[in-house]
Amino acid sequence: MKKMIAAALTGIMVVSLAAAVSAEDGTLVMATNAEFPPYEYHEGDEIVGIDAEVAALVAEELGLELKIEDMSFDSVLAAVQSGKADIAMAGITVTEDRKQVVNFSDTYMKATQMIIVAEDSEIAGPDDLVGKTIGVQLGTTGDIYVEDVEDATVERFSKGFEAVQALIQGKVDAVVIDGEPAKVFVQENEGIKLLDDPFTEEEYAIAIAKDNEELLTQVNDALADLKESGKFDEIVDKYIGDNADEAESETEA
Ligand code: ARG
């Protein structure tokens, strides 16, 4: 019995120690890949977007200051695993494989993988991707899922926008990427269009190291508070939907 209590206490100590590390220097370090509008992208010297703003408020609720570390998307989970970052927030889709290496917070957004093609393309839906050359961002769910498309050739790019550029230049037949960045890229570029049918349905969550259960609870509590107070929806509305453009020009001014 004593042994069990001792073991339980050690467990608790380890957990609070991990939480104390980030609290000690007063920062919450977030790993992201800021090439993903409207979730995270560069605006001048700043990284802005839904994830950046939500993370800043989560940090505030925890009494910490947010510090964003920009890196390649295929490094963000490793960054939390190694303790280089406290959280990873990058429009990260929850998958069974990823759950093996990190913990996920409650999901905060629904998402889809969508298909972008040239305006005059014969590709009209997911079934037409068979045998085609498909551009994706390296390490994303788009990358993972197109593996299953029969006879397709997959071209992997370090940034989603580079895949879109390859499409515009006729180097790939289609791009599979998350719906909201897809909309932004299609809006900003001539000659390409978004297909109606989504390729997959997914959900985004914040990734946290497996051994940091305490931070997981704190982040979930903060997310719940932000949803309840309406602050979460305010941020989303600023970047997505009918009022998004207005808000954008306001921030630019
Ligand atoms: N939702 C996709 C995934 O989790 C793509 C996320 C890409 N995010 C980024 N910030 N580049 O794999």
Side-chain angles (χ1 to χ4, degrees), residues 106-170:
D106 296 333
T107 58
Y108 63 92
M109 284 297 267
K110 288 199 192 311
T112 49
Q113 292 295 309
M114 300 290 286
I115 304 167
I116 311 176
V117 295
E119 221 142 51
D120 58 0
S121 174
E122 52 174 25
I123 300 171
D127 296 345
D128 300 331
L129 290 176
V130 173
K132 297 288 195 256
T133 302
I134 309 168
V136 295
Q137 183 180 17
L138 177 71
T140 60
T141 43
D143 183 358
I144 296 161
Y145 298 140
V146 296
E147 292 269 351
D148 296 338
V149 177
E150 225 177 296
D151 296 329
T153 307
V154 183
E155 297 276 355
R156 298 179 173 85
F157 298 87
S158 65
K159 302 176 182 181
F161 180 62
E162 290 168 356
V164 173
Q165 275 174 319
L167 176 67
I168 293 166
Q169 293 162 2

Side-chain angles (χ1 to χ4, degrees), residues 53-67:
E53 291 203 26
V54 170
L57 292 185
V58 167
E60 197 182 294
E61 291 232 359
L62 304 187
L64 302 171
E65 200 178 316
L66 182 69
K67 185 167 170 239

